[in-house]
């Protein structure tokens, strides 16, 4: 049932960047709904860790790329927690096989777009409809949507074309939802991470270790899920006001053009 605590749903919230955000919000006093595709037993330790901060934590298993799963996720949050203030769209997949553009397949393209773009768009739609109901009942009620994307939406990777396209489109989705939801007190942001040390980036660690050593970044270290979590918490707290629709790039200076 509803409490006086704010409530956040974080997709992909049991590992990597999503877990970094979930942990940061748990420390801020949020009740959480965390989503993932693994069985609940496989994430039991993570749920215990999140609950150690004193809030309620509900696990919502499901694939955001599938319509019925998205509906089930929101229904579970409504039943178990009763309200929702923040949606963090973090669930995402990399390009299967990391194939060159000339070898890319429609199957892989559709798989990436289903999770990284379509799933987020329509989950935001479900969230928005619900939060508008809450705002209409209580005009002081405020909500927030945060889309976690990637600098790959700006930087071309020849072996991850579908991945790059999904994040480029997410930038426009952020703007679209910011415009549509502003009258209802819902701010929409995009956090654009650079090279973050997670299980997803583990296979390319040697490559990026070398690039970082050669000066790829202004801040010469891997980013961490905690870095992204702290940024998300600042947005949720309203520490960066008057900025709906904007992008917060957390990349150690990677995308600054230099001569």
């Amino acid at each position: 049932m509803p409490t006086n605590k704010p409530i956040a749903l974080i997709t992909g919230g049991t590992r990597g960047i999503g877990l970094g955000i979930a942990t940061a919000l748990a420390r801020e006093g949020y009740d959480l709904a965390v989503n993932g595709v693994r069985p609940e037993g496989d994430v039991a330790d993570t749920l215990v860790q999140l609950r150690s901060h004193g809030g309620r934590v509900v696990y919502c298993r499901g694939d955001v790329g599938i319509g019925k799963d998205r509906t089930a996720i929101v229904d579970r949050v409504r039943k178990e927690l009763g309200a929702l203030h923040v949606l963090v769209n973090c669930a995402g997949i990399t390009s299967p096989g990391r194939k060159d553009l000339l070898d890319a397949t429609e199957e892989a393209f559709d798989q990436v777009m289903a999770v990284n773009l379509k799933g987020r768009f329509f989950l935001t739609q479900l969230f928005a409809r619900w939060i508008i109901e809450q705002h209409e009942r209580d005009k002081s009620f405020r909500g927030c949507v945060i889309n976690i994307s990637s600098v790959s939406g700006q930087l071309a990777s020849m072996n991850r074309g579908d991945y790059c396209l999904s994040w480029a489109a997410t930038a426009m989705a952020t703007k679209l939802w910011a415009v549509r939801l502003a009258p209802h007190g819902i701010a929409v942001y995009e956090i654009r991470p650079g090279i973050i040390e997670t299980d997803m980036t583990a296979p390319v660690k040697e490559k990026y270790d070398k690039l970082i050593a050669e000066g790829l970044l202004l801040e010469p270290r891997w980013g961490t899920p905690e870095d992204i979590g702290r940024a998300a918490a600042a947005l949720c707290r309203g520490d960066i006001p008057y900025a709906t629709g904007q992008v917060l790039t957390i990349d150690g200076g990677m995308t600054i053009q230099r001569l």
Side-chain angles (χ1 to χ4, degrees):
M1 297 304 294
T3 69
N4 59 355
K5 287 187 173 186
I7 300 167
L9 166 62
I10 303 103
T11 67
T14 62
R15 68 200 317 171
I17 290 174
L19 179 56
I21 295 169
T23 301
L25 294 184
R27 289 172 177 160
E28 293 281 324
Y30 276 73
D31 286 337
L32 301 177
V34 291
N35 152 260
V37 296
R38 292 177 289 172
E40 186 164 350
D42 291 356
V43 298
D45 290 345
T46 299
L47 299 179
V48 169
Q49 173 190 331
L50 292 172
R51 290 177 182 131
S52 71
H53 298 285
R56 296 178 297 170
V57 179
V58 174
Y59 183 60
C60 304
R61 187 184 181 189
D63 182 342
V64 298
I66 299 173
K68 64 180 178 59
D69 283 15
R70 292 191 296 271
T71 300
I73 290 165
V74 173
D75 286 347
R76 178 93 191 270
V77 177
R78 191 187 288 262
K79 178 182 178 181
E80 297 292 332
L81 299 176
L84 190 59
H85 303 81
V86 173
L87 169 64
V88 181
N89 285 309
C90 188
I93 61 172
T94 192
S95 183
R98 294 174 176 260
K99 295 184 178 181
D100 181 87
L101 292 180
L102 296 178
D103 301 314
T105 66
E106 286 192 43
E107 180 182 9
F109 186 96
D110 290 344
Q111 185 179 352
V112 171
M113 290 297 175
V115 176
N116 294 5
L117 182 62
K118 184 182 77 171
R120 290 166 172 235
F121 183 90
F122 286 105
L123 185 60
T124 300
Q125 183 186 73
L126 289 172
F127 167 76
R129 289 171 174 167
W130 182 14
I131 208 168
I132 286 170
E133 293 175 15
Q134 296 172 95
H135 180 70
E136 290 302 311
R137 292 194 300 269
D138 178 4
K139 295 300 183 183
S140 67
F141 190 96
R142 291 291 180 269
C144 173
V145 177
I146 301 175
N147 288 319
I148 308 301
S149 63
S150 168
V151 293
S152 291
Q154 296 173 263
L155 306 175
S157 295
M158 294 304 98
N159 63 341
R160 294 185 300 159
D162 40 17
Y163 184 77
C164 294
L165 286 168
S166 71
W167 301 135
T170 293
M172 177 52 71
T174 298
K175 294 176 183 179
L176 289 167
W177 283 116
V179 173
R180 180 63 184 86
L181 299 179
H184 304 285
I186 306 171
V188 183
Y189 308 102
E190 178 186 346
I191 295 179
R192 193 173 291 170
I195 303 168
I196 308 299
E197 194 165 14
T198 67
D199 55 353
M200 182 183 288
T201 55
V204 292
K205 188 176 188 307
E206 184 176 346
K207 169 187 174 180
Y208 283 107
D209 281 345
K210 183 174 184 293
L211 290 172
I212 291 170
E214 292 172 349
L216 178 66
L217 308 177
L218 299 182
E219 298 182 43
R221 68 170 177 87
W222 282 77
T224 67
E226 182 185 6
D227 293 329
I228 310 303
R230 291 173 64 184
L235 292 172
C236 292
R237 285 194 305 266
D239 288 355
I240 307 176
Y242 203 52
T244 190
Q246 298 305 304
V247 178
L248 186 56
T249 302
I250 310 294
D251 70 349
M254 179 181 181
T255 52
I256 295 177
Q257 292 184 330
R258 290 170 276 170
L259 293 174

